[in-house]
Amino acid sequence: MISAIVYKSATGSCERYAREMSRKLAIPSYPVDGCPLPKGMEVVYIGWLMNGQVQGLKKAQRNYQVKAVVQVGMSPATPASEATCRQKNGLGEDVKVFTVQGAFHMKKLSLPMQAIMKVVNKSIVQRLEAKGSLSDAEKATLTMAGTGEGEPATWDGIQPAIDWVLETRNPLNVMKWHEPQ
């Protein structure tokens, strides 16, 4: 049974998603660095993407049973997102993978990361501008890449991961969590 949400955040998105999951599931969330959980606990891991690598995941895997990974990036999920995550992070089919769009704040990154992202962002802008018609999530990515700042098209992307945890708790009587009206 999932005992906690463990995360590594660079600009705040992973922490925001971890806190949202924690609140809705009534389980704690902790940053992977300094996490007080006993080794071997079952967790959901949330980490930001850099070149397809989920940051902090290896550390989480050394200490915990990572049952699901939520990869958070500037771009929206694509049909290849899950397979790419599995391949680049060495994940088997026994680990559930979710992809969510996070915010981007260039000024919160280290100077070396800012230099890398300036180059990456130029490529993202060129690719999206050439595409023409864009989804809301792609428009958000274009804004983030073009200005160095921005929010995802929606913060609701974490809901499928929340629903998955609820299903694993009670697979025969699934009750999905919904915000009170």
Side-chain angles (χ1 to χ4, degrees), residues 10-181:
T11 64
S13 296
C14 296
E15 181 177 8
R16 179 173 175 167
Y17 282 128
R19 287 183 182 197
E20 182 71 4
M21 283 190 79
S22 174
R23 183 179 70 80
K24 288 184 176 180
L25 295 169
I27 59 175
S29 64
Y30 302 104
V32 70
D33 297 320
C35 182
L37 290 174
K39 287 190 177 222
M41 301 293 288
E42 291 185 359
V43 301
V44 171
Y45 183 75
I46 303 175
W48 58 280
L49 286 173
M50 183 171 68
N51 196 27
Q53 295 283 319
V54 180
Q55 300 304 295
L57 177 58
K58 297 294 182 211
K59 183 175 187 175
Q61 289 174 314
R62 282 192 304 272
N63 294 308
Y64 311 109
Q65 293 181 53
V66 176
K67 296 297 186 180
V69 172
V70 179
Q71 57 179 344
V72 182
M74 188 181 353
S75 297
T78 67
S81 294
E82 180 180 343
T84 300
C85 181
R86 289 185 186 289
Q87 187 247 339
K88 290 202 172 198
N89 295 281
L91 297 175
E93 293 296 322
D94 59 327
V95 176
K96 186 73 174 161
V97 174
F98 300 93
T99 303
V100 297
Q101 185 177 40
F104 182 71
H105 303 286
M106 181 77 81
K107 292 177 183 173
K108 290 185 178 181
L109 299 175
S110 67
L111 289 177
M113 279 301 298
Q114 286 183 32
I116 291 167
M117 288 309 297
K118 284 180 183 178
V119 174
V120 170
N121 283 351
K122 285 181 185 178
S123 171
I124 292 170
V125 168
Q126 289 175 341
R127 179 178 49 85
L128 290 174
E129 285 179 341
K131 187 174 178 181
S133 178
L134 301 176
S135 68
D136 288 344
E138 289 169 323
K139 289 175 187 174
T141 301
L142 181 59
T143 297
M144 289 184 245
T147 67
E149 292 288 319
E151 300 290 317
T154 178
W155 285 100
D156 294 338
I158 199 68
Q159 191 61 46
I162 293 166
D163 291 343
W164 177 82
V165 172
L166 291 171
E167 289 170 13
T168 64
R169 283 183 180 170
N170 191 2
L172 299 177
N173 185 19
V174 176
M175 293 185 66
K176 298 191 187 254
W177 192 95
H178 295 283
E179 199 70 50
Q181 298 295 326

